[in-house]
Amino acid sequence: MIQLQPIRTDSLLYPFMESLLIHSFPIEEYRDLEALRIFTDHTPNFHNHVITDDGSPIGILTYWWFGEFYYIEHFAIHPDYRNGGYGGKTLQHLFTLLQHPIVLEVEVPNGETEQRRIQFYQRQGFALWTHPYQQPPYRPEGEYLPMHLMAHGNLQCPQDFEKVKERIYREVYLISSPE
C-alpha cells in the first residue's frame, strides 16, 4: 500500500531522499542540499516525503501548501520501481489526501521523454498550461529554464496563471519580481 512518510533531516530515510533527488533531476532543477535541509526542518508549508510501498522506500515527493493550492516541487520514483504503476498510484493517493488544486512544473515537450511525462500527468487528470513560464534558478549562477505549469483541480489558465506563478516564485524560489 502506498504511503507518504513525512521526513526531517534526522530521519533514517533522509539519505534515500537526497540520493534519489540527485540522481533523478539535473542539478539546475533542485536547490542546494543545505538549503533543502533548512527548508525540510524549518519551513512549515514545505513538506518532504519518502513514498513507501508496504514500508519499503520507492520514491520521493516534496510539495508546498499555499492556502489555495499545493505545488509539487519534486516527484520521483526510484529506477527499480519505475513503469510499475507507482507514479499513478502515488498521485491518486495524494489527490485523496490533499483535496485541493495541485500545480507542478514540467519541461517543455521538445523530446519524447518530456512528451511522455506530460502525457502521464494528463492521464492523472492534470491540464497543461502553455502560457510562457520560466523556472527561476535555484542557484545564484543558474539561468531561468523554460517550463510549463500543469494543474489538477479547480484552477484555470489563463485566469489563475499569474497568481500561481507569483506565489511559486515568491515562496519556492524566493524572488518577488518576474523574470
Side-chain angles (χ1 to χ4, degrees):
M1 182 167 87
I2 297 292
Q3 301 239 323
L4 298 179
Q5 177 67 47
I7 60 169
R8 298 280 184 220
T9 57
D10 61 356
S11 167
L12 295 175
L13 293 172
Y14 197 83
F16 171 86
M17 186 283 308
E18 275 193 1
S19 176
L20 186 54
L21 179 76
I22 292 166
H23 290 95
S24 298
F25 295 92
I27 194 167
E28 61 271 8
E29 291 184 16
Y30 63 89
R31 70 185 77 253
D32 169 84
L33 295 180
E34 185 55 38
L36 177 61
R37 292 177 193 125
I38 292 168
F39 277 103
T40 296
D41 288 341
H42 302 291
T43 305
N45 64 328
F46 177 73
H47 303 271
N48 197 337
H49 293 86
V50 168
I51 304 161
T52 62
D53 182 34
D54 292 329
S56 297
I58 62 163
I60 60 171
L61 177 71
T62 65
Y63 63 82
W64 296 77
W65 169 234
F66 295 136
E68 297 176 29
F69 68 94
Y70 288 91
Y71 165 71
I72 294 177
E73 186 171 14
H74 292 102
F75 175 43
I77 301 297
H78 190 279
D80 292 347
Y81 299 97
R82 289 184 188 151
N83 301 314
Y86 288 110
K89 289 176 189 175
T90 298
L91 288 175
Q92 294 307 312
H93 179 66
L94 189 66
F95 298 154
T96 62
L97 290 176
L98 302 184
Q99 298 191 2
H100 283 85
I102 299 171
V103 175
L104 52 81
E105 296 168 341
V106 291
E107 295 165 316
V108 174
N110 293 328
E112 185 179 332
T113 301
E114 295 89 356
Q115 291 171 8
R116 283 195 338 258
R117 187 171 294 121
I118 288 170
Q119 291 167 356
F120 162 76
Y121 285 118
Q122 288 174 323
R123 286 192 305 274
Q124 305 309 315
F126 282 85
L128 179 65
W129 290 4
T130 57
H131 270 51
Y133 176 83
Q134 299 284 318
Q135 180 192 62
Y138 277 107
R139 293 167 170 78
E141 68 279 1
E143 297 180 13
Y144 282 78
L145 300 174
M147 297 275 193
H148 285 308
L149 293 177
M150 295 189 80
H152 181 278
N154 192 23
L155 289 173
Q156 302 296 317
C157 188
Q159 59 264 36
D160 294 317
F161 179 82
E162 287 300 324
K163 170 183 73 172
V164 166
K165 175 183 162 184
E166 184 276 326
R167 193 68 186 263
I168 292 169
Y169 274 27
R170 183 168 30 97
E171 300 283 338
V172 178
Y173 299 103
L174 307 176
I175 59 173
S176 57
S177 60
E179 72 275 12

